[in-house]
Amino acid sequence: MAHTNESVVSEFVLLGLSNSWALQLFFFAFFSAGYVTSVLGNIMIIVIISSDSHLDSPMYFLLSNLSFIDICQSNFATPKMLVDFFVEHKTITFEGCMAQIFLLHSFVGSEMMLLVAMAYDRFIAIGKPLHYSTIMNRRLCIIFVFISWAVGILHSVSHLAFTVDLPFCGPNEVDSFFCDLPLVIELACMDTYEMEIMTLTNSGLISLSCFLALVISYAIILITVRRRSSSGSAKALSTLTAHITVVILFFGPCIYFYIWPFSRLSVDKFLSVFYTVCTPLLNPIIYSLRNEDVKSAMRKLRNRLVNSW
C-alpha cells in the first residue's frame, strides 16, 4: 500500500530513562564516564595501530575500522542523551529522529559485516597460514570495509525509505532516549502490521545470518586450533577468545531487539543503553586487555611519549 507523507508531527518527545532527578544525575555521571572512555579508547586503538609497524596486518587494519565505527556509534545518540538529563521537556525534530534511525542502522549493519570480515581473516590465518598474506592483502581488506559500509547504508536506507513517508498525525512520545525504529513506527496513524513484518524481516535476517556465519566460522576455527598444540595455537586461541567475546556481547541485544521488536518490556530501554553506550566500549577494553600485541604497542607508544617530554 502506497502512502503519501501526511505527517503533521514536527517533533517527537523522548521519555528518556527515568523521571527521577536523582537517577538522572546518576545516569549522567555513569554514562558520561562510559562515553568518554569509549571514544578515547577507540581513538587510542586507531592511533596505536597506525603508529606501530608491527600491527600493520589485515587483522589490525580491520580492528581499527571497527574502532572507527564504534566512535560513530558512540556519537549518534549518547551526547543528546547526556544533555537531555538536564532538560525537562526532551524533544527531537522529525528530521533529527529520522537521522538517528538512519545512523544507528548504518553503523550497526556495517559493524555486523565487519565482524564477519574479521572472522574470515582469522579463518584464513589459522586454516591457511601459508597463503594468508596472499589472500588477505590490503586490497581485499579495503573491499571488506567498503562492502561493510555499503551493506550498512543500504540496510538503513531500506528502513528509512518506508518510515519517512509514514503518516504521523498525533501521538509523538517515544519511550526511549533516542528514536528507536520500532517505537517510532508504532506512532504512525495507520495499521503498521506490514511495516512491523518488514522491519523484523530486514533487521532480523541480517542479524541472524551474520551471527550464524560467525558461529560456524569460529566453530571451525576452534576445532582447527584444538588439533594443534603449539605456542602459536595458544596465541591464536587468546585472540579468538577476544573476537568471540565481542561477537556474543554485540549480537546478543541486537538479535533480542529484532526477534521481538514490537513486544517491549520495561527492561528494553536499559538494554538499548547497553547496545548504544556500552557496546562501543567492548572494542578497546577487550582487545587492549586480551591482546598482547596491542598491549605491547601501547607500552611502546607510552614510552615514546614519556621520552619525548
Side-chain angles (χ1 to χ4, degrees):
M1 183 183 294
H3 298 281
T4 58
N5 191 351
E6 303 170 10
S7 175
V8 295
V9 172
S10 61
E11 66 179 18
F12 292 95
V13 177
L14 303 175
L15 299 184
L17 295 175
S18 172
N19 292 322
S20 166
W21 175 242
L23 267 180
Q24 289 191 77
L25 284 177
F26 169 76
F27 288 149
F28 174 79
F30 183 77
F31 295 135
S32 292
Y35 170 71
V36 171
T37 304
S38 171
V39 172
L40 293 181
N42 281 294
I43 290 174
M44 180 184 69
I45 283 188
I46 294 173
V47 170
I48 288 171
I49 291 173
S50 302
S51 63
D52 196 309
S53 59
H54 293 95
L55 300 182
D56 184 18
S57 70
M59 183 180 82
Y60 293 109
F61 174 79
L62 296 174
L63 176 58
S64 63
N65 280 276
L66 184 66
S67 286
F68 177 74
I69 294 176
D70 281 337
I71 292 170
C72 295
Q73 192 171 328
S74 295
N75 284 283
F76 93 94
T78 306
K80 176 169 174 53
M81 177 187 70
L82 296 175
V83 171
D84 281 349
F85 283 131
F86 298 96
V87 177
E88 185 176 352
H89 190 60
K90 305 170 178 59
T91 62
I92 185 171
T93 64
F94 180 86
E95 293 77 14
C97 185
M98 295 301 111
Q100 281 194 342
I101 291 172
F102 172 77
L103 292 173
L104 172 63
H105 288 272
S106 294
F107 299 147
V108 171
S110 300
E111 185 152 348
M112 287 181 188
M113 295 303 297
L114 198 58
L115 288 172
V116 173
M118 292 175 73
Y120 178 77
D121 169 76
R122 291 300 84 201
F123 177 81
I124 298 299
I126 294 172
K128 299 182 178 180
L130 298 179
H131 303 284
Y132 177 71
S133 59
T134 304
I135 297 173
M136 289 300 300
N137 53 52
R138 181 52 63 94
R139 180 172 173 271
L140 182 60
C141 291
I142 293 172
I143 290 173
F144 278 151
V145 172
F146 176 80
I147 290 174
S148 70
W149 278 104
V151 169
I153 291 171
L154 287 174
H155 165 68
S156 185
V157 168
S158 68
H159 281 309
L160 207 62
F162 295 99
T163 307
V164 74
D165 281 332
L166 287 175
F168 297 100
C169 57
N172 68 338
E173 290 188 343
V174 179
D175 189 17
S176 185
F177 62 94
F178 70 97
C179 282
D180 197 0
L181 178 62
L183 296 180
V184 172
I185 290 176
E186 287 180 342
L187 299 177
C189 301
M190 59 172 281
D191 182 2
T192 58
Y193 177 76
E194 291 182 5
M195 281 291 297
E196 293 174 10
I197 295 300
M198 288 174 60
T199 299
L200 173 62
T201 303
N202 190 339
S203 295
L205 282 180
I206 190 173
S207 301
L208 286 173
S209 58
C210 286
F211 183 68
L212 289 175
L214 288 165
V215 168
I216 293 169
S217 299
Y218 284 123
I220 295 172
I221 294 170
L222 286 172
I223 291 170
T224 304
V225 170
R226 283 179 63 86
R227 288 175 179 169
R228 302 174 184 174
S229 57
S230 64
S231 59
S233 296
K235 181 181 178 181
L237 186 60
S238 176
T239 303
L240 282 176
T241 303
H243 281 251
I244 293 170
T245 303
V246 169
V247 166
I248 292 172
L249 292 176
F250 177 83
F251 277 90
C254 184
I255 292 174
Y256 169 79
F257 284 135
Y258 290 104
I259 288 182
W260 297 280
F262 297 92
S263 176
R264 292 295 174 122
L265 303 173
S266 59
V267 73
D268 287 5
K269 63 171 65 178
F270 293 99
L271 282 174
S272 296
V273 169
F274 174 83
Y275 191 51
T276 56
V277 180
C278 301
T279 297
L281 267 172
L282 299 177
N283 192 0
I285 290 177
I286 292 175
Y287 284 108
S288 62
L289 293 179
R290 294 198 59 87
N291 190 298
E292 289 299 327
D293 291 333
V294 172
K295 286 194 287 187
S296 174
M298 197 183 304
R299 286 191 293 267
K300 284 193 286 185
L301 180 62
R302 182 189 61 199
N303 292 336
R304 271 204 310 243
L305 291 173
V306 170
N307 292 333
S308 67
W309 285 94

